[in-house]
Amino acid sequence: MNRKGMTAVSTVLMAFPWTLLILRRFTWALQSPIGEILIGLYAGIMILGGVFTIWAYAKKGAQSGLMKVCTVVNGLYMVCGAAAFVMMSV
């Protein structure tokens, strides 16, 4: 994958967690087992997105201005996703 492709994937991963707000409008998404699965799935994707973005920025040299923003935002998402997993396990 080239640098532009990595930037495109990181940009999509930056917007992906906000789709949870759309899903949470439905009553089926608020029920206990489905809601927990959705939150776990989104937390996992946020963690993997942060790892991928940091890897692409640091190791593969995708260091454009947009990629710098994606690295910061997806890094914050990664921390929040890890916190969500910790809160779900308690």
Side-chain angles (χ1 to χ4, degrees):
M1 185 181 298
N2 60 7
R3 293 177 184 161
K4 288 185 181 183
M6 290 181 197
T7 303
V9 169
S10 295
T11 303
V12 169
L13 288 171
M14 190 170 60
F16 179 77
W18 293 98
T19 61
L20 182 62
L21 295 175
I22 297 168
L23 288 178
R24 300 291 288 180
R25 289 184 180 179
F26 301 109
T27 55
W28 58 265
L30 299 174
Q31 296 172 353
S32 180
I34 298 172
E36 293 170 3
I37 291 169
L38 277 176
I39 291 172
L41 177 70
Y42 272 75
I45 291 172
M46 289 164 62
I47 291 170
L48 291 176
V51 169
F52 172 78
T53 304
I54 291 170
W55 172 77
Y57 183 80
K59 297 290 183 183
K60 292 297 182 178
Q63 297 183 354
S64 65
L66 178 60
M67 194 63 174
K68 290 177 184 179
V69 172
C70 290
T71 302
V72 170
V73 172
N74 285 332
L76 291 173
Y77 286 166
M78 183 177 62
V79 170
C80 293
F85 271 138
V86 169
M87 286 189 283
M88 285 176 54
S89 68
V90 172

Coordinates of all heavy atoms in Angstrom, one line a residue:
M1 N 0.9 -1.2 0.0 CA 0.0 0.0 0.0 C 0.9 1.2 0.0 O 1.9 1.3 0.8 CB -0.9 0.0 1.2 CG -1.9 1.1 1.3 SD -3.0 1.1 2.7 CE -3.9 -0.4 2.5
N2 N 0.5 2.2 -0.8 CA 1.4 3.4 -0.9 C 1.0 4.4 0.2 O 0.0 4.2 1.0 CB 1.3 4.0 -2.3 CG -0.2 4.4 -2.6 OD1 -1.0 4.4 -1.8 ND2 -0.3 4.8 -3.9
R3 N 1.7 5.5 0.3 CA 1.4 6.5 1.3 C 0.1 7.1 1.2 O -0.6 7.4 2.2 CB 2.5 7.6 1.3 CG 3.9 7.0 1.6 CD 4.9 8.1 1.5 NE 6.2 7.5 1.8 CZ 7.4 8.0 1.4 NH1 7.4 9.1 0.8 NH2 8.5 7.4 1.7
K4 N -0.4 7.4 0.0 CA -1.7 8.0 -0.2 C -2.8 7.0 0.3 O -3.8 7.4 0.9 CB -2.0 8.4 -1.6 CG -1.2 9.6 -2.0 CD -1.5 10.1 -3.4 CE -0.7 11.3 -3.7 NZ -1.0 11.8 -5.1
G5 N -2.6 5.7 0.0 CA -3.6 4.7 0.5 C -3.6 4.7 2.0 O -4.7 4.5 2.6
M6 N -2.5 4.7 2.6 CA -2.4 4.7 4.1 C -3.1 5.9 4.7 O -3.8 5.8 5.7 CB -1.0 4.6 4.6 CG -0.3 3.3 4.3 SD 1.3 3.3 4.9 CE 2.0 1.9 4.0
T7 N -2.9 7.1 4.1 CA -3.5 8.3 4.5 C -5.1 8.2 4.4 O -5.8 8.6 5.2 CB -3.0 9.5 3.8 OG1 -1.6 9.5 3.9 CG2 -3.6 10.8 4.3
A8 N -5.5 7.6 3.3 CA -7.0 7.4 3.0 C -7.6 6.5 4.1 O -8.6 6.8 4.6 CB -7.2 6.9 1.6
V9 N -6.9 5.4 4.4 CA -7.4 4.4 5.4 C -7.4 5.1 6.7 O -8.4 5.0 7.5 CB -6.6 3.2 5.4 CG1 -6.9 2.3 6.6 CG2 -6.7 2.4 4.1
S10 N -6.4 5.8 7.1 CA -6.4 6.5 8.4 C -7.4 7.6 8.5 O -8.0 7.8 9.6 CB -5.0 7.1 8.6 OG -4.0 6.1 8.7
T11 N -7.7 8.3 7.4 CA -8.8 9.3 7.4 C -10.1 8.6 7.6 O -11.0 9.1 8.4 CB -8.8 10.1 6.1 OG1 -7.5 10.6 5.9 CG2 -9.8 11.2 6.1
V12 N -10.4 7.5 7.0 CA -11.7 6.8 7.2 C -11.8 6.3 8.6 O -12.8 6.4 9.2 CB -11.8 5.6 6.2 CG1 -13.0 4.8 6.5 CG2 -12.0 6.2 4.8
L13 N -10.7 5.8 9.1 CA -10.7 5.3 10.5 C -10.9 6.4 11.5 O -11.3 6.2 12.6 CB -9.4 4.5 10.8 CG -9.3 3.2 10.2 CD1 -7.8 2.6 10.4 CD2 -10.3 2.2 10.7
M14 N -10.5 7.6 11.1 CA -10.7 8.8 12.0 C -12.2 9.1 12.1 O -12.7 9.6 13.2 CB -9.9 10.0 11.4 CG -9.9 11.1 12.4 SD -8.7 12.4 11.9 CE -9.3 12.9 10.3
A15 N -13.0 8.9 11.0 CA -14.4 9.2 11.1 C -15.3 8.1 11.5 O -16.4 8.3 11.9 CB -14.8 9.7 9.7
F16 N -14.7 6.8 11.5 CA -15.5 5.6 11.8 C -16.2 5.6 13.2 O -17.4 5.3 13.3 CB -14.7 4.4 11.6 CG -15.4 3.1 11.9 CD1 -16.3 2.6 11.0 CD2 -15.2 2.4 13.1 CE1 -17.0 1.5 11.2 CE2 -15.9 1.3 13.4 CZ -16.8 0.8 12.4
P17 N -15.5 6.0 14.3 CA -16.2 5.9 15.6 C -17.4 6.8 15.7 O -18.3 6.4 16.5 CB -15.1 6.4 16.6 CG -13.8 6.1 15.9 CD -14.1 6.3 14.4
W18 N -17.6 7.8 14.9 CA -18.8 8.6 15.0 C -20.0 7.9 14.5 O -21.1 8.3 14.8 CB -18.5 9.9 14.3 CG -17.5 10.7 15.0 CD1 -16.2 10.8 14.7 CD2 -17.7 11.5 16.2 NE1 -15.5 11.6 15.7 CE2 -16.4 12.0 16.6 CE3 -18.8 11.8 17.0 CZ2 -16.2 12.8 17.7 CZ3 -18.6 12.6 18.1 CH2 -17.3 13.1 18.5
T19 N -19.8 6.8 13.7 CA -21.0 6.1 13.2 C -21.7 5.4 14.4 O -22.9 5.0 14.2 CB -20.6 5.1 12.1 OG1 -19.7 4.2 12.7 CG2 -20.0 5.8 10.9
L20 N -21.1 5.2 15.5 CA -21.7 4.6 16.6 C -22.9 5.4 17.1 O -23.9 4.9 17.6 CB -20.7 4.3 17.8 CG -21.2 3.6 19.0 CD1 -21.7 2.2 18.7 CD2 -20.2 3.6 20.1
L21 N -22.8 6.7 17.0 CA -23.9 7.6 17.4 C -25.1 7.4 16.6 O -26.2 7.4 17.1 CB -23.4 9.1 17.3 CG -22.3 9.5 18.3 CD1 -21.9 10.9 18.0 CD2 -22.8 9.3 19.7
I22 N -24.9 7.1 15.3 CA -26.0 6.8 14.4 C -26.7 5.4 14.8 O -27.9 5.3 14.9 CB -25.6 6.8 13.0 CG1 -25.1 8.2 12.6 CG2 -26.7 6.3 12.0 CD1 -24.3 8.2 11.2
L23 N -25.9 4.4 15.1 CA -26.4 3.1 15.4 C -27.1 3.1 16.8 O -28.1 2.4 17.0 CB -25.3 2.1 15.5 CG -24.7 1.7 14.2 CD1 -23.5 0.7 14.4 CD2 -25.7 1.0 13.3
R24 N -26.7 3.9 17.7 CA -27.3 4.0 19.0 C -28.7 4.6 19.1 O -29.3 4.6 20.1 CB -26.4 4.7 20.0 CG -25.0 4.1 20.2 CD -25.0 2.7 20.9 NE -25.4 2.9 22.3 CZ -25.5 2.0 23.2 NH1 -25.3 0.7 22.8 NH2 -25.8 2.2 24.4
R25 N -29.1 5.1 17.9 CA -30.5 5.7 17.8 C -31.5 4.6 17.8 O -32.7 4.8 18.2 CB -30.6 6.5 16.6 CG -29.9 7.8 16.6 CD -30.2 8.6 15.4 NE -29.5 9.9 15.4 CZ -29.6 10.7 14.5 NH1 -30.3 10.5 13.4 NH2 -29.0 11.9 14.5
F26 N -31.1 3.4 17.4 CA -32.1 2.3 17.3 C -32.2 1.5 18.6 O -31.2 1.4 19.4 CB -31.6 1.3 16.2 CG -31.4 1.9 14.8 CD1 -30.2 2.1 14.3 CD2 -32.6 2.3 14.1 CE1 -30.0 2.7 13.0 CE2 -32.4 2.9 12.9 CZ -31.2 3.1 12.3
T27 N -33.4 1.1 18.9 CA -33.6 0.4 20.2 C -32.9 -0.9 20.3 O -32.5 -1.3 21.4 CB -35.2 0.2 20.4 OG1 -35.7 -0.6 19.3 CG2 -35.9 1.5 20.5
W28 N -32.7 -1.6 19.2 CA -32.0 -2.9 19.3 C -30.5 -2.7 19.7 O -29.9 -3.6 20.3 CB -32.1 -3.6 17.9 CG -31.5 -2.9 16.8 CD1 -32.3 -2.1 15.9 CD2 -30.2 -2.8 16.3 NE1 -31.4 -1.6 14.9 CE2 -30.2 -2.0 15.2 CE3 -29.0 -3.4 16.8 CZ2 -29.0 -1.7 14.5 CZ3 -27.8 -3.1 16.1 CH2 -27.8 -2.2 15.0
A29 N -30.0 -1.5 19.4 CA -28.6 -1.2 19.8 C -28.4 -0.9 21.2 O -27.3 -0.8 21.7 CB -28.0 -0.1 18.9
L30 N -29.5 -0.6 21.9 CA -29.5 -0.2 23.3 C -29.7 -1.4 24.2 O -29.5 -1.3 25.4 CB -30.5 0.9 23.6 CG -30.3 2.2 22.8 CD1 -31.5 3.1 23.1 CD2 -29.0 2.8 23.2
Q31 N -30.1 -2.5 23.7 CA -30.3 -3.7 24.5 C -28.9 -4.3 25.0 O -27.9 -4.1 24.3 CB -31.1 -4.7 23.8 CG -32.5 -4.2 23.4 CD -33.2 -5.2 22.5 OE1 -32.6 -6.1 22.0 NE2 -34.4 -4.9 22.2
S32 N -28.9 -4.9 26.1 CA -27.7 -5.3 26.8 C -26.7 -6.1 26.0 O -25.6 -5.6 25.9 CB -28.1 -6.0 28.1 OG -26.9 -6.4 28.8
P33 N -27.0 -7.2 25.5 CA -25.9 -7.9 24.9 C -25.4 -7.3 23.6 O -24.2 -7.2 23.3 CB -26.4 -9.3 24.6 CG -27.9 -9.2 24.6 CD -28.2 -8.0 25.5
I34 N -26.3 -6.7 22.8 CA -25.9 -6.1 21.5 C -25.2 -4.8 21.8 O -24.2 -4.5 21.1 CB -27.2 -5.8 20.7 CG1 -27.9 -7.2 20.3 CG2 -26.8 -5.1 19.4 CD1 -29.2 -7.0 19.7
G35 N -25.6 -4.0 22.7 CA -24.9 -2.8 23.1 C -23.4 -3.0 23.5 O -22.5 -2.3 23.1
E36 N -23.3 -4.1 24.3 CA -21.9 -4.4 24.8 C -21.0 -4.9 23.6 O -19.9 -4.5 23.6 CB -22.0 -5.4 25.9 CG -22.6 -4.9 27.1 CD -22.9 -6.0 28.1 OE1 -22.6 -7.2 27.9 OE2 -23.5 -5.7 29.2
I37 N -21.6 -5.7 22.7 CA -20.9 -6.1 21.6 C -20.5 -5.0 20.7 O -19.3 -4.9 20.2 CB -21.7 -7.2 20.8 CG1 -21.8 -8.5 21.6 CG2 -21.1 -7.5 19.5 CD1 -22.8 -9.5 21.1
L38 N -21.4 -4.0 20.5 CA -21.1 -2.9 19.6 C -20.0 -2.0 20.2 O -19.1 -1.6 19.5 CB -22.3 -2.0 19.4 CG -23.3 -2.4 18.4 CD1 -24.5 -1.5 18.4 CD2 -22.7 -2.4 17.0
I39 N -20.0 -1.8 21.5 CA -19.0 -1.0 22.1 C -17.7 -1.7 22.1 O -16.6 -1.1 21.8 CB -19.4 -0.6 23.6 CG1 -20.6 0.4 23.5 CG2 -18.3 0.0 24.3 CD1 -21.2 0.6 24.9
G40 N -17.7 -3.0 22.3 CA -16.4 -3.8 22.2 C -15.9 -3.8 20.8 O -14.6 -3.6 20.6
L41 N -16.7 -3.9 19.8 CA -16.3 -3.9 18.4 C -15.7 -2.5 18.1 O -14.6 -2.5 17.5 CB -17.5 -4.2 17.5 CG -17.2 -4.2 16.0 CD1 -16.3 -5.3 15.6 CD2 -18.5 -4.3 15.3
Y42 N -16.4 -1.5 18.4 CA -15.9 -0.1 18.1 C -14.6 0.2 18.9 O -13.7 0.8 18.3 CB -16.9 0.9 18.4 CG -17.9 1.2 17.2 CD1 -18.9 0.3 16.9 CD2 -17.8 2.3 16.5 CE1 -19.7 0.5 15.9 CE2 -18.6 2.5 15.4 CZ -19.6 1.6 15.1 OH -20.4 1.8 14.0
A43 N -14.5 -0.3 20.1 CA -13.3 0.0 20.9 C -12.1 -0.8 20.2 O -11.0 -0.3 20.1 CB -13.4 -0.5 22.3
G44 N -12.3 -2.0 19.7 CA -11.3 -2.8 19.1 C -10.8 -2.1 17.8 O -9.7 -2.0 17.5
I45 N -11.8 -1.6 17.0 CA -11.5 -0.9 15.8 C -10.7 0.3 16.0 O -9.8 0.7 15.3 CB -12.7 -0.7 14.9 CG1 -13.3 -2.1 14.4 CG2 -12.5 0.2 13.7 CD1 -14.6 -2.0 13.7
M46 N -11.1 1.0 17.1 CA -10.4 2.3 17.4 C -8.9 2.0 17.8 O -8.0 2.7 17.4 CB -11.1 3.0 18.6 CG -12.4 3.6 18.1 SD -13.5 4.1 19.5 CE -12.6 5.3 20.3
I47 N -8.7 0.9 18.6 CA -7.4 0.5 19.0 C -6.5 0.1 17.7 O -5.4 0.6 17.5 CB -7.4 -0.6 20.0 CG1 -7.9 -0.1 21.3 CG2 -6.0 -1.2 20.2 CD1 -8.3 -1.1 22.3
L48 N -7.1 -0.7 16.9 CA -6.4 -1.1 15.7 C -6.1 0.0 14.7 O -5.1 0.1 14.1 CB -7.2 -2.2 15.0 CG -7.2 -3.6 15.7 CD1 -8.1 -4.6 14.9 CD2 -5.8 -4.1 15.9
G49 N -7.1 1.0 14.7 CA -6.9 2.2 13.8 C -5.8 3.0 14.3 O -5.0 3.6 13.5
G50 N -5.7 3.2 15.6 CA -4.6 3.9 16.2 C -3.2 3.3 16.0 O -2.2 3.9 15.6
V51 N -3.2 1.9 16.1 CA -1.9 1.2 15.9 C -1.5 1.3 14.4 O -0.4 1.6 14.1 CB -2.1 -0.3 16.3 CG1 -0.9 -1.1 15.9 CG2 -2.2 -0.4 17.8
F52 N -2.5 1.1 13.5 CA -2.2 1.2 12.1 C -1.7 2.6 11.7 O -0.7 2.8 11.0 CB -3.4 0.9 11.3 CG -3.3 1.2 9.8 CD1 -2.6 0.2 9.0 CD2 -3.8 2.3 9.2 CE1 -2.4 0.5 7.6 CE2 -3.6 2.5 7.8 CZ -2.9 1.6 7.1
T53 N -2.3 3.7 12.2 CA -2.0 5.0 11.8 C -0.6 5.4 12.4 O 0.2 6.0 11.7 CB -3.0 6.0 12.4 OG1 -4.3 5.6 11.9 CG2 -2.7 7.4 11.9
I54 N -0.3 5.0 13.6 CA 1.0 5.3 14.2 C 2.1 4.5 13.4 O 3.2 5.0 13.1 CB 1.0 5.0 15.7 CG1 0.2 6.0 16.4 CG2 2.5 4.9 16.2 CD1 -0.1 5.7 17.9
W55 N 1.8 3.2 13.0 CA 2.7 2.4 12.3 C 3.0 3.0 10.9 O 4.1 3.1 10.4 CB 2.1 1.0 12.1 CG 2.9 0.1 11.2 CD1 4.1 -0.5 11.4 CD2 2.5 -0.2 9.8 NE1 4.5 -1.2 10.3 CE2 3.5 -1.0 9.3 CE3 1.4 0.2 9.0 CZ2 3.5 -1.5 8.0 CZ3 1.4 -0.3 7.7 CH2 2.4 -1.2 7.2
A56 N 1.9 3.5 10.2 CA 2.1 4.1 8.9 C 2.8 5.4 9.0 O 3.7 5.7 8.1 CB 0.7 4.3 8.3
Y57 N 2.6 6.1 10.0 CA 3.3 7.4 10.2 C 4.8 7.2 10.5 O 5.7 7.9 9.9 CB 2.6 8.3 11.2 CG 3.2 9.6 11.4 CD1 2.9 10.7 10.5 CD2 4.1 9.9 12.5 CE1 3.5 11.9 10.7 CE2 4.7 11.1 12.6 CZ 4.4 12.2 11.7 OH 4.9 13.4 11.9
A58 N 5.1 6.3 11.4 CA 6.4 6.2 11.9 C 7.3 5.3 11.0 O 8.4 5.6 10.7 CB 6.4 5.6 13.4
K59 N 6.7 4.2 10.6 CA 7.6 3.2 9.9 C 7.5 3.3 8.4 O 8.5 3.1 7.7 CB 7.1 1.8 10.3 CG 7.3 1.5 11.7 CD 8.8 1.3 12.1 CE 8.9 0.9 13.6 NZ 10.3 0.9 14.0
K60 N 6.4 3.7 7.8 CA 6.2 3.7 6.4 C 6.4 5.1 5.8 O 6.4 5.3 4.6 CB 4.9 3.2 6.0 CG 4.7 1.7 6.3 CD 5.7 0.9 5.4 CE 5.5 -0.5 5.6 NZ 6.5 -1.3 4.8
G61 N 6.6 6.1 6.6 CA 7.0 7.5 6.1 C 5.8 8.2 5.5 O 6.0 9.2 4.8
A62 N 4.6 7.9 5.9 CA 3.4 8.7 5.4 C 3.3 9.9 6.4 O 2.5 9.8 7.3 CB 2.2 7.8 5.4
Q63 N 4.0 11.0 6.1 CA 4.1 12.1 7.0 C 3.5 13.4 6.4 O 4.1 14.4 6.6 CB 5.5 12.2 7.5 CG 6.0 11.0 8.3 CD 7.4 11.2 8.8 OE1 8.0 12.2 8.5 NE2 7.8 10.2 9.6
S64 N 2.4 13.3 5.8 CA 1.7 14.5 5.3 C 1.1 15.2 6.4 O 1.0 14.8 7.5 CB 0.7 14.1 4.2 OG -0.3 13.4 4.7
G65 N 0.5 16.4 6.1 CA -0.2 17.2 7.1 C -1.4 16.5 7.6 O -1.7 16.5 8.8
L66 N -2.2 15.9 6.7 CA -3.4 15.2 7.0 C -3.0 14.0 7.9 O -3.7 13.6 8.8 CB -4.1 14.8 5.8 CG -5.4 14.0 6.0 CD1 -6.4 14.7 6.9 CD2 -6.0 13.6 4.7
M67 N -1.9 13.3 7.6 CA -1.5 12.1 8.3 C -1.1 12.5 9.8 O -1.3 11.7 10.7 CB -0.4 11.4 7.6 CG -0.1 10.1 8.1 SD -1.5 9.0 7.8 CE -0.9 7.5 8.4
K68 N -0.6 13.7 9.9 CA -0.2 14.2 11.3 C -1.5 14.3 12.1 O -1.5 13.9 13.3 CB 0.5 15.5 11.2 CG 1.9 15.3 10.7 CD 2.6 16.6 10.6 CE 4.0 16.4 9.9 NZ 4.7 17.7 9.8
V69 N -2.5 14.9 11.5 CA -3.8 15.0 12.2 C -4.4 13.7 12.5 O -4.9 13.4 13.6 CB -4.8 15.9 11.4 CG1 -6.2 15.9 12.0 CG2 -4.3 17.3 11.2
C70 N -4.4 12.8 11.5 CA -4.9 11.4 11.7 C -4.2 10.7 12.9 O -4.8 10.0 13.6 CB -4.8 10.6 10.5 SG -5.9 11.1 9.1
T71 N -2.9 10.9 13.0 CA -2.1 10.2 14.0 C -2.5 10.7 15.4 O -2.7 9.9 16.3 CB -0.6 10.5 13.8 OG1 -0.2 10.0 12.5 CG2 0.3 9.8 14.8
V72 N -2.7 12.0 15.5 CA -3.1 12.5 16.8 C -4.5 12.1 17.2 O -4.7 11.6 18.3 CB -3.0 14.1 16.8 CG1 -3.6 14.6 18.1 CG2 -1.6 14.5 16.7
V73 N -5.4 12.2 16.3 CA -6.8 11.8 16.5 C -7.0 10.3 16.8 O -7.6 9.9 17.7 CB -7.8 12.3 15.4 CG1 -9.2 11.8 15.6 CG2 -7.8 13.8 15.4
N74 N -6.4 9.5 15.9 CA -6.5 8.1 16.1 C -5.7 7.6 17.3 O -6.1 6.6 17.9 CB -6.0 7.3 14.8 CG -7.1 7.4 13.7 OD1 -8.2 7.5 14.0 ND2 -6.6 7.3 12.5
G75 N -4.7 8.3 17.7 CA -4.0 8.0 18.9 C -4.9 8.2 20.1 O -4.9 7.4 21.1
L76 N -5.6 9.3 20.1 CA -6.6 9.6 21.2 C -7.7 8.5 21.2 O -8.1 8.1 22.3 CB -7.1 11.0 21.1 CG -6.2 12.1 21.3 CD1 -6.8 13.5 21.0 CD2 -5.7 12.1 22.8
Y77 N -8.2 8.2 20.0 CA -9.2 7.1 19.9 C -8.6 5.8 20.5 O -9.4 5.1 21.1 CB -9.6 6.9 18.5 CG -10.5 8.0 17.9 CD1 -10.7 8.0 16.5 CD2 -11.1 8.9 18.6 CE1 -11.5 9.0 15.9 CE2 -11.9 9.9 18.1 CZ -12.1 9.9 16.7 OH -12.9 10.8 16.1
M78 N -7.4 5.5 20.2 CA -6.8 4.3 20.7 C -6.8 4.3 22.2 O -7.1 3.3 22.9 CB -5.3 4.2 20.2 CG -4.6 2.9 20.6 SD -3.0 2.7 19.9 CE -2.1 4.1 20.6
V79 N -6.4 5.4 22.9 CA -6.4 5.5 24.3 C -7.9 5.3 24.9 O -8.1 4.6 25.8 CB -5.8 6.8 24.8 CG1 -6.0 7.0 26.3 CG2 -4.3 6.8 24.4
C80 N -8.8 6.0 24.2 CA -10.2 5.9 24.6 C -10.8 4.4 24.4 O -11.6 4.0 25.3 CB -11.1 6.9 23.9 SG -10.7 8.6 24.3
G81 N -10.4 3.8 23.4 CA -10.8 2.4 23.1 C -10.2 1.5 24.2 O -10.9 0.6 24.7
A82 N -9.0 1.7 24.6 CA -8.4 0.9 25.6 C -9.1 1.1 27.0 O -9.3 0.2 27.7 CB -6.9 1.2 25.8
A83 N -9.4 2.4 27.2 CA -10.2 2.7 28.5 C -11.6 2.0 28.4 O -12.1 1.6 29.5 CB -10.3 4.2 28.6
A84 N -12.2 2.0 27.3 CA -13.5 1.3 27.2 C -13.4 -0.2 27.5 O -14.3 -0.7 28.2 CB -14.1 1.5 25.8
F85 N -12.3 -0.8 27.0 CA -12.1 -2.2 27.3 C -11.9 -2.4 28.8 O -12.4 -3.4 29.4 CB -11.0 -2.8 26.5 CG -11.3 -3.3 25.2 CD1 -10.5 -3.1 24.1 CD2 -12.5 -4.1 25.0 CE1 -10.8 -3.6 22.9 CE2 -12.8 -4.6 23.8 CZ -12.0 -4.4 22.7
V86 N -11.2 -1.5 29.4 CA -10.9 -1.6 30.9 C -12.2 -1.4 31.6 O -12.5 -2.2 32.6 CB -9.8 -0.6 31.3 CG1 -9.8 -0.5 32.8 CG2 -8.5 -1.0 30.7
M87 N -13.0 -0.5 31.2 CA -14.3 -0.2 31.9 C -15.3 -1.4 31.7 O -16.0 -1.7 32.6 CB -14.9 1.1 31.5 CG -14.2 2.3 32.0 SD -15.1 3.8 31.7 CE -14.7 4.1 30.0
M88 N -15.2 -2.0 30.6 CA -16.1 -3.2 30.3 C -15.7 -4.4 31.1 O -16.5 -5.2 31.5 CB -16.2 -3.5 28.8 CG -17.0 -2.5 28.0 SD -16.9 -2.8 26.3 CE -17.5 -4.5 26.1
S89 N -14.4 -4.5 31.4 CA -14.0 -5.7 32.1 C -14.2 -5.6 33.6 O -14.2 -6.6 34.3 CB -12.5 -5.9 31.8 OG -11.7 -4.9 32.4
V90 N -14.4 -4.4 34.1 CA -14.6 -4.3 35.6 C -16.0 -4.6 36.0 O -17.0 -4.7 35.5 CB -14.3 -2.8 36.0 CG1 -14.7 -2.6 37.4 CG2 -12.8 -2.6 35.8

